[in-house]
Amino acid sequence: SVFGKNAPSNRITIGQIGFGRIARSHDLPEVLKNSVAHVMAIADVDKKRLEMGKKWIEEQYVTKTGKRNYVDVKMYDDYHDLLANKEIDAVIISTPDHWHAQPAMEAAVAGKHNYMKKPTSLTVKEGRQMSDMVRKKGVVFQLGSQQRSLNPWPQFHRTCELVRNGRI
């Protein structure tokens, strides 16, 4: 109550792992709409994407808050270093599809909650390992499957309906 509704304890600090098209066009824009979320770090193996991600996130906060130095996004060329940062509560995993499960398991071991889009893994065994680790460590895991819901992409819902009814 001393700090009001914007107290640090009322925010979820987030580290972004991977900064490609999905991070830029889907994951981060949705997260940045929430005042409780605070993106404070980014990791990418590509130095150019890493620097572009830092700049992009900082510019989003300038637009959102009107403050030029609202956030100084930390950069990591190795996501393990991002996971070691005790200030980070959760991660968004926006890596290529073949590299989802491993960072998710390591994030769970580090005590970080995590969000990623499908696919969670490439094999059932890998998916089971990830699920077991998340459950064992007691972190929150959310899988994004927004395109599979009715809104805002009804064409996916219609296509599933056609397949299930034997028309396709």
Side-chain angles (χ1 to χ4, degrees):
S1 63
V2 173
F3 294 107
K5 71 175 191 158
N6 295 321
S9 60
N10 292 337
R11 287 196 301 186
I12 300 170
T13 52
I14 298 173
Q16 173 67 42
I17 300 175
F19 188 75
R21 181 182 56 85
I22 296 298
R24 205 171 36 252
S25 63
H26 294 283
D27 295 343
L28 285 170
E30 292 303 314
V31 169
L32 291 168
K33 289 179 183 178
N34 298 292
S35 60
V36 72
H38 181 73
V39 182
M40 62 170 291
I42 184 168
D44 201 300
V45 295
D46 183 322
K47 186 174 175 77
K48 186 176 178 183
R49 283 187 178 198
L50 183 61
E51 291 170 354
M52 183 173 50
K54 174 183 171 63
K55 182 179 177 186
W56 187 90
I57 293 166
E58 289 175 356
E59 286 299 319
Q60 297 302 308
Y61 277 113
V62 168
T63 301
K64 184 176 178 175
T65 67
K67 299 174 184 171
R68 176 72 34 205
N69 295 319
Y70 182 78
V71 65
D72 180 19
V73 175
K74 293 177 177 73
M75 295 190 298
Y76 300 95
D77 57 9
D78 184 334
Y79 74 90
H80 295 99
D81 296 331
L82 181 146
L83 294 177
N85 184 332
K86 300 289 185 204
E87 295 178 32
I88 296 173
D89 299 317
V91 295
I92 300 170
I93 299 171
S94 306
T95 54
D97 289 352
H98 70 277
W99 195 244
H100 282 179
Q102 186 67 33
M105 287 187 276
E106 292 179 89
V109 169
K112 311 294 185 207
H113 306 290
N114 62 91
Y115 170 85
M116 76 169 81
K117 288 213 166 52
K118 68 215 168 317
T120 55
S121 63
L122 297 181
T123 66
V124 172
K125 181 180 178 183
E126 185 181 56
R128 178 55 38 217
Q129 288 174 325
M130 186 187 70
S131 176
D132 291 345
M133 184 60 67
V134 164
R135 185 173 290 117
K136 178 181 176 184
K137 296 300 180 179
V139 297
V140 174
F141 174 85
Q142 182 179 357
L143 175 66
S145 58
Q146 290 84 345
Q147 288 182 331
R148 302 309 186 256
S149 63
L150 185 54
N151 291 318
W153 295 288
Q155 68 271 24
F156 290 108
H157 187 263
R158 178 73 174 137
T159 302
C160 289
E161 186 178 282
L162 291 170
V163 170
R164 287 181 182 138
N165 289 320
R167 297 194 181 234
I168 294 179

